Amino acid sequence: QVQLVESGGGLVQPGGSLSLSCTASGIMNNNVVMGWYRQAPGKQRELVASIKRRAPATLSDFVKGRASISISDAKYMVLLQIHDLKPEDTAVYYCNVKLGYQMSYEYWGQGTQVTVSS
C-alpha cells in the first residue's frame, strides 16, 4: 500500500525559510504527481505546489517568487522550499500523491504544522 512520510514542519519567524519533505513508498506506477496542500483553521484546503518528473512545477499564486518544489530521480521524494514566510502561511501542510494516467488514485500524508510567528 502507498504510504507517505512528511517532515520539516515547525515554528519560523516572518521572513524566514522552511523546507518540507515527503517520501512516498509502495508506488507501483510511473505516472505520478506529488505536491503539497495546506489548510488553515476554518479554511478550505488549497494547493501550494505540485510536480511530476520531466515536467515543469506548478506553484500557486500566493507562493510564486518565494517557493520551489523538486522531485528526486532516485525515489519518490519531494522537497518544498518556501522563503520570506508570512503569518498567513500558517497552516497544516499535507503531502499529496496522485497516480495513474487519469490520476484515478489519490493519497494524503497525515499533515505537519507550520507556524509563522514572531
Side-chain angles (χ1 to χ4, degrees), residues 2-59:
V2 175
Q3 295 183 342
L4 307 181
V5 178
E6 305 161 326
S7 64
L11 176 65
V12 63
Q13 295 184 7
S17 300
L18 196 68
S19 296
L20 301 176
S21 66
C22 177
T23 301
S25 62
I27 293 178
M28 301 297 176
N29 192 311
N30 60 8
N31 194 38
V32 180
V33 176
M34 297 187 69
W36 286 91
Y37 289 71
R38 71 185 188 187
Q39 187 169 24
K43 304 296 183 181
Q44 293 185 337
R45 190 170 297 185
E46 59 185 355
L47 175 69
V48 179
S50 65
I51 192 170
K52 66 184 300 182
R53 291 194 173 104
R54 299 172 296 279
T58 295
L59 299 175

Side-chain angles (χ1 to χ4, degrees), residues 96-111:
N96 172 266
V97 175
K98 295 182 175 67
L99 305 176
Y101 289 103
Q102 300 182 66
M103 300 290 108
S104 301
Y105 303 94
E106 187 172 34
Y107 302 89
W108 294 93
Q110 66 181 33

Side-chain angles (χ1 to χ4, degrees), residues 8 10-20 38 62-63 65-68 80-90 93 114-118:
L11 176 65
V12 63
Q13 295 184 7
S17 300
L18 196 68
S19 296
L20 301 176
R38 71 185 188 187
F62 52 82
V63 296
R66 60 188 184 97
S68 64
L80 174 69
Q81 297 177 298
I82 307 178
H83 310 284
D84 191 25
L85 284 158
K86 308 175 186 300
E88 52 263 40
D89 293 321
T90 296
Y93 284 68
V114 174
T115 302
V116 183
S117 176
S118 299

